[in-house]
Amino acid sequence: MNEEQKALILSSSSHFLPPQGVKLSYGTAGFRADASLLSSAVYRVGILAALRSLKTQAVIGLMITASHNKISDNGVKIADPNGGMLSQHWEPFADALANAPSPQDLIQLINDFVKKEDIQFNGGRPAEVILGRDTRPSGGALLKAATEGIASILGAVATDMGILTTPQLHWMVRARNKGMKASEKDYFEQLSSSFRCLMDLIPSEKSNRKGSNDKLVVDGANGVGGVKLEVLQKQLNGVSIEIRNFGEDGGVLNEGVGADFVQKEKVVPNGFGSEDVGIRCASLDGDADRLVYFSVAPESNSKIELIDGDKILSLFALFIREQLSILSEEEDVKNSRHAHLGVVQTAYANGASTNYLKQLGLEVNFTPTGVKYLHEKAAEFDIGIYFEANGHGTILFSEDLKGWLEAKTKELSSKSKGSEIEKASLRLLAVSELINQAVGDALSGLLLVEVILQHMGWSIHGWNELYHDLPSRQLKVKVADRTAVITANSETVVASPPGLQEAIYAETAKHPQGRCFVRPSGTEDVVRVYAEASTQEAADNLANSLAKLVDQFLGCSKS
Ligand code: NG1
Ligand code: ZN
């Protein structure tokens, strides 16, 4: 770094001093905190994004969002050149950067890192960062802080893409770096045209069936997702979607609404009620990267039947498997190709879903919580489907398989046009276009669910009957230091503090079909507890006993 560069960072960073006594950590989804604490961290992430762009010589994304957190929170995360999460190898630098106490410390840190990573400031393409934000009121000011951070790297270019869903920004980064059309209009066009293609491929005896193609009602979490879905819907022929909780009628972001609320509380979001019994409903989270479906339970004020990420995964897996099995019937053995299909879950996946997937003969893999881990694992397959129970997930297609499918459809369009094999390969190709290849995307996931339900001729109830969830309970426990909990085996066991896991085993044994674990949250200052068992009462008891154990072992509870 030359002196001019150092001086620029020194002067601009003095406008963004970090709050005293606050330690931030680049967790499961970047930095998240009360928005009033974040301007320094966001400014510094702007610097990091520009350096990452210089290092990778590619466009980097910077998203300002706190997803499903309350409206007064905000957050920031980076999208890497392939549209995925920031390389884990840079996370310690992000932590150090955000927590550097003074501008001088900051310069020192950047200087050392630039040397270590051999980042060149001259000679290559200048840094380029595209930025997006969700609808939070603090987003505008934080976006300015990020832009100033980017501008403190000489020659760096920042482009504000406006209010977006998180997956839209990730999609744009990926598209830009692949040299493809990458505007918001292009995003909508790609989703709508691949959706229409899949609709055209629905077997005719199914497309007229009643029950599967009636109205869908979507809860937009009072965030960005509802607004974008409204735009997208205009480009879909003949699909009827009613959107509620746009955030424009006094509703507050994520307050009593949204996918996180619906999945955790298992009750209807605001704006839904007994008049919706029997209707297919879906809920997005605040930045539209999570999706769950639900139906309002009959004769109950607010209870729902939840269709979570695990069941969305199961639906996707069934459909993909069906298409692959049609393709494998290709007579010409020379031309056939075995595609390796894998699914990825976390410990939060309901045990009944894992059993169901295994019974289908699928390979089920587990990773720790956080899409960066699931995504990485799913990318090992020709087709990798990953979902967190909370509704964040997608389907990844390897470049190799995509290339093979493209060649196959070309060949089949002349050799056996209209054949089942041609249709199956066209469907798979369309899915790879529709479903976001960068991150989980509620909008593209929702369109794929809608197509598959029609393809199968299923109502929401038919889908829900694939298997029955084991009753479960999630709790949060406030402790003095959540980092004292260290886990192993994809977070299924506690390695430290000593003795805690033994106590957990002893509690689990008391509950039929009991399964439970505890882990520190990566996005909130809490330890999370998860339990499932054969009855709701047993799951609740098990979760409560675990919460007590956590409290005992970690002491000094704050509340
Ligand atoms: P943490 O706070 O680390 O549990 C939560 C979700 C993750 C993931 C991230 C990012 C649960 C239990 N955890 O992480 O799955 O979605 O937020 O948004 O839902
Ligand atoms: Zn989200």
Side-chain angles (χ1 to χ4, degrees), residues 70-124:
K70 56 183 188 290
I71 190 164
S72 51
D73 280 359
N74 215 327
V76 59
K77 60 182 162 186
I78 293 289
D80 245 7
N82 61 4
M85 300 297 190
L86 173 68
S87 162
Q88 288 165 48
H89 151 74
W90 273 46
E91 286 182 8
F93 176 55
D95 284 343
L97 212 56
N99 296 309
S102 70
Q104 287 74 15
D105 294 312
L106 187 69
I107 299 281
Q108 184 66 47
L109 195 71
I110 296 173
N111 200 36
D112 292 349
F113 187 72
V114 159
K115 269 196 207 138
K116 186 175 134 240
E117 287 285 321
D118 192 24
I119 295 171
Q120 301 296 327
F121 283 75
N122 297 308

Side-chain angles (χ1 to χ4, degrees), residues 316-387:
F316 288 178
L318 274 176
F319 181 74
I320 299 282
R321 204 180 67 136
E322 181 187 297
Q323 307 318 310
L324 286 176
S325 98
I326 297 174
L327 272 181
S328 70
E329 284 158 17
E330 160 85 81
E331 287 131 35
D332 185 351
V333 182
K334 253 196 348 270
N335 275 342
S336 68
R337 180 192 189 285
H338 171 76
H340 195 183
L341 171 64
V343 298
V344 188
Q345 301 191 303
T346 72
Y348 287 104
N350 195 282
S353 77
T354 310
N355 282 343
Y356 174 76
L357 292 163
K358 285 186 175 163
Q359 272 164 22
L360 290 179
L362 290 166
E363 184 181 328
V364 187
N365 300 270
F366 285 89
T367 71
T369 303
V371 291
K372 58 190 174 193
Y373 302 115
L374 290 110
H375 191 98
E376 191 175 81
K377 187 70 197 170
E380 290 175 13
F381 300 93
D382 287 316
I383 302 181
I385 314 178
Y386 71 86
F387 262 89

Side-chain angles (χ1 to χ4, degrees), residues 67-68 285 287-290:
S67 182
H68 55 279
D285 78 336
D287 61 341
D289 60 359
R290 291 191 192 177

Side-chain angles (χ1 to χ4, degrees), residues 22-93:
V22 179
K23 190 167 182 294
L24 294 170
S25 142
Y26 198 93
T28 336
F31 293 116
R32 276 195 204 169
D34 188 90
S36 63
L37 301 173
L38 277 175
S39 62
S40 156
V42 171
Y43 163 83
R44 291 167 178 202
V45 171
I47 298 180
L48 180 141
L51 293 176
R52 184 84 188 136
S53 174
L54 286 177
K55 170 74 188 181
T56 58
Q57 290 288 289
V59 177
I60 294 292
L62 187 155
M63 183 72 196
I64 296 185
T65 177
S67 182
H68 55 279
N69 287 32
K70 56 183 188 290
I71 190 164
S72 51
D73 280 359
N74 215 327
V76 59
K77 60 182 162 186
I78 293 289
D80 245 7
N82 61 4
M85 300 297 190
L86 173 68
S87 162
Q88 288 165 48
H89 151 74
W90 273 46
E91 286 182 8
F93 176 55

Side-chain angles (χ1 to χ4, degrees), residues 28-29 32 67-68 260 263-264 290 348 369-370 388 390 392 474 519-524 528:
T28 336
R32 276 195 204 169
S67 182
H68 55 279
D260 192 62
Q263 190 236 349
K264 302 253 159 64
R290 291 191 192 177
Y348 287 104
T369 303
E388 294 187 312
N390 61 32
H392 189 131
Q474 264 198 64
R519 57 174 279 279
S521 161
T523 60
E524 286 176 67
R528 294 198 199 281

Side-chain angles (χ1 to χ4, degrees), residues 39-346:
S39 62
S40 156
V42 171
Y43 163 83
R44 291 167 178 202
V45 171
I47 298 180
L48 180 141
L51 293 176
R52 184 84 188 136
S53 174
L54 286 177
K55 170 74 188 181
T56 58
Q57 290 288 289
V59 177
I60 294 292
L62 187 155
M63 183 72 196
I64 296 185
T65 177
S67 182
H68 55 279
N69 287 32
K70 56 183 188 290
I71 190 164
S72 51
D73 280 359
N74 215 327
V76 59
K77 60 182 162 186
I78 293 289
D80 245 7
N82 61 4
M85 300 297 190
L86 173 68
S87 162
Q88 288 165 48
H89 151 74
W90 273 46
E91 286 182 8
F93 176 55
D95 284 343
L97 212 56
N99 296 309
S102 70
Q104 287 74 15
D105 294 312
L106 187 69
I107 299 281
Q108 184 66 47
L109 195 71
I110 296 173
N111 200 36
D112 292 349
F113 187 72
V114 159
K115 269 196 207 138
K116 186 175 134 240
E117 287 285 321
D118 192 24
I119 295 171
Q120 301 296 327
F121 283 75
N122 297 308
R125 69 187 259 188
E128 189 176 353
V129 182
I130 63 175
L131 302 98
R133 64 180 176 99
D134 69 17
T135 52
R136 280 161 213 273
S138 55
L142 290 176
L143 192 115
K144 264 193 85 193
T147 311
E148 295 210 20
I150 298 163
S152 73
I153 298 298
L154 286 166
V157 181
T159 311
D160 176 9
M161 308 304 290
I163 291 181
L164 294 175
T165 72
T166 296
Q168 280 184 313
L169 185 78
H170 285 260
W171 183 95
M172 287 173 184
V173 170
R174 184 172 186 274
R176 276 290 309 273
N177 288 319
K178 287 183 133 259
M180 293 169 0
K181 293 198 270 175
S183 69
E184 187 175 23
K185 186 165 158 273
D186 299 317
Y187 168 88
F188 287 130
E189 260 169 32
Q190 183 170 324
L191 262 62
S192 55
S193 65
S194 49
F195 173 77
R196 288 192 305 265
C197 170
L198 280 162
M199 293 293 276
D200 290 344
L201 287 161
I202 287 175
S204 51
E205 73 275 12
K206 300 275 179 61
S207 60
N208 301 325
R209 214 140 117 184
K210 269 203 82 63
S212 57
N213 53 358
D214 46 9
K215 163 168 102 165
L216 166 71
V217 185
V218 177
D219 155 30
N222 290 321
V224 58
V227 184
K228 301 294 180 186
L229 183 58
E230 180 77 349
V231 180
L232 179 58
Q233 145 150 255
K234 298 204 173 94
Q235 299 176 33
L236 314 169
N237 295 342
V239 177
S240 147
I241 306 178
E242 181 187 328
I243 305 162
R244 299 183 193 163
N245 301 331
F246 271 102
E248 283 163 354
D249 44 12
V252 178
L253 177 72
N254 298 332
E255 212 174 273
V257 293
D260 192 62
F261 172 80
V262 168
Q263 190 236 349
K264 302 253 159 64
E265 306 297 328
K266 300 197 180 86
V267 293
V268 289
N270 289 342
F272 290 72
S274 52
E275 66 285 4
D276 299 311
V277 171
I279 291 177
R280 189 164 73 259
C281 303
S283 192
L284 318 175
D285 78 336
D287 61 341
D289 60 359
R290 291 191 192 177
L291 169 70
V292 296
Y293 272 71
F294 65 91
S295 66
V296 181
E299 290 156 32
S300 130
N301 281 338
S302 59
K303 288 236 167 60
I304 56 162
E305 279 168 20
L306 173 72
I307 301 200
D308 62 3
D310 303 335
K311 226 163 233 172
I312 298 177
L313 186 158
S314 303
L315 183 74
F316 288 178
L318 274 176
F319 181 74
I320 299 282
R321 204 180 67 136
E322 181 187 297
Q323 307 318 310
L324 286 176
S325 98
I326 297 174
L327 272 181
S328 70
E329 284 158 17
E330 160 85 81
E331 287 131 35
D332 185 351
V333 182
K334 253 196 348 270
N335 275 342
S336 68
R337 180 192 189 285
H338 171 76
H340 195 183
L341 171 64
V343 298
V344 188
Q345 301 191 303
T346 72

